[in-house]
Amino acid sequence: MSDIVLDVSDVNKTFGGLQALSHINLKIEKGRTHAVIGPNGAGKSTLLNVCVGRLTPDTGSVMFKGTNLTGRPPHEINQLGVARVFQTPEIFLDLTLIQNVEIAALASRDGSFSFNPFKSMFAEKELTDEAEHTLEDIGLYHLKDEHTGNLSRGDKRRLELAMCLIQHPSLLLLDEPTAGMSRHDTNRTIDLLKRIKERGMTKVIIEHDMHVVFSLADWISVLAQGAIIAEGTPEEIRGNPKVQEAYLGGAHV
Ligand code: ADP
Ligand code: MG
């Protein structure tokens, strides 16, 4: 039995004349926190979108635990056990925190809003208990009945993470989970992600904040201009001159 959770094989993606992803091969091992780093425009979000079904690759395939994800719609991929946090949080601003978390749980069970989520929502005490527990876990329980629109940017992103966690995914994909956060919020989020790591959840983190990457990742792939130019442990990547030159413009990591 292979312990590869996600296997991206020879994926190409172009936008018009732009080759956004070029022959991407990436294997994500079970239990790992695997970071994909690279400068702006390198293709990181495009890669994540291919993995979650928001974009279809021109060629190549994405396999998740032996199932081909290529061409499947996002909600189906989500139900197979892949959850993701996007660069811009996807939450319902008019609803409360607890309602957002409950909807995420329902979506992963029953498909994305192919039914009336509110009808069953209030009938399920169990669901509410779990949603409360998840909010407690990420430190937002005290805000559970607040409208989500009132939250700080950092709290919105942590709420989105709670919405992923309640789905108990086998694979969690995070696109710059600390983007736009203060250092304090960033550190709280790193602590939270470390705790998730202890639970053995496999994660892919797309990130350009080096502090976050080196605090969390056990393996790093470096993307530049749509191609993977290096892979290795944080120590190997830190000292790789090719990475420093291509990604950091020679700056010291
Ligand atoms: P990153 O997340 O590493 O900053 P992206 O994956 O967002 O990079 O973008 C990679 C390249 O593809 C960029 O040049 C970007 O402008 C382009 N791109 C991304 N999405 C689209 C799109 N939907 N249509 C056209 N070009 C796109
Ligand atoms: Mg991006």
Side-chain angles (χ1 to χ4, degrees), residues 91-97 99-100 146-150:
I91 50 185
F92 298 97
L93 296 174
D94 293 336
L95 300 183
T96 63
L97 276 71
Q99 286 171 333
N100 269 282
E146 286 285 322
H147 271 255
T148 304
N150 300 335

Side-chain angles (χ1 to χ4, degrees), residues 15 18 20 39-46:
F15 295 114
L18 177 84
N40 269 336
K44 303 182 298 295
S45 295
T46 303

Side-chain angles (χ1 to χ4, degrees), residues 14 16-17 23 28-29 42 56 66 76 87 101-103 117 137 145 156 163 169 183 190 193 196-197 216 230 233:
T14 52
H23 301 288
I28 309 294
E29 279 186 32
T56 308
E76 235 178 84
Q87 214 161 350
V101 177
E102 287 174 342
I103 284 175
D137 203 17
D145 295 318
K156 277 183 188 142
M163 290 165 71
R183 182 52 78 189
I190 291 174
L193 291 172
I196 301 171
K197 186 170 170 171
L216 284 171
T233 62

Side-chain angles (χ1 to χ4, degrees), residues 14 23 26 32 43-44 54 61 68 70 79 91 107 115 121 144 165 171 175 198 218 222 230 236 238 244 247:
T14 52
H23 301 288
L26 193 66
R32 245 185 197 166
K44 303 182 298 295
R54 283 185 145 195
S61 65
N68 195 344
T70 325
Q79 285 180 330
I91 50 185
F115 70 113
M121 178 186 296
K144 77 183 174 82
L165 293 179
L171 176 65
D175 196 349
E198 286 157 15
D218 358 83
V222 185
E236 287 164 352
R238 200 194 285 268
Q244 296 202 348
Y247 174 56

Side-chain angles (χ1 to χ4, degrees), residues 8 14 29 46 50 64 68 73 86 126 130 133 147 179-180 190 194:
V8 177
T14 52
E29 279 186 32
T46 303
V50 164
F64 170 65
N68 195 344
F86 290 116
E126 210 177 282
E130 198 187 355
H133 183 79
H147 271 255
I190 291 174
K194 276 186 182 155

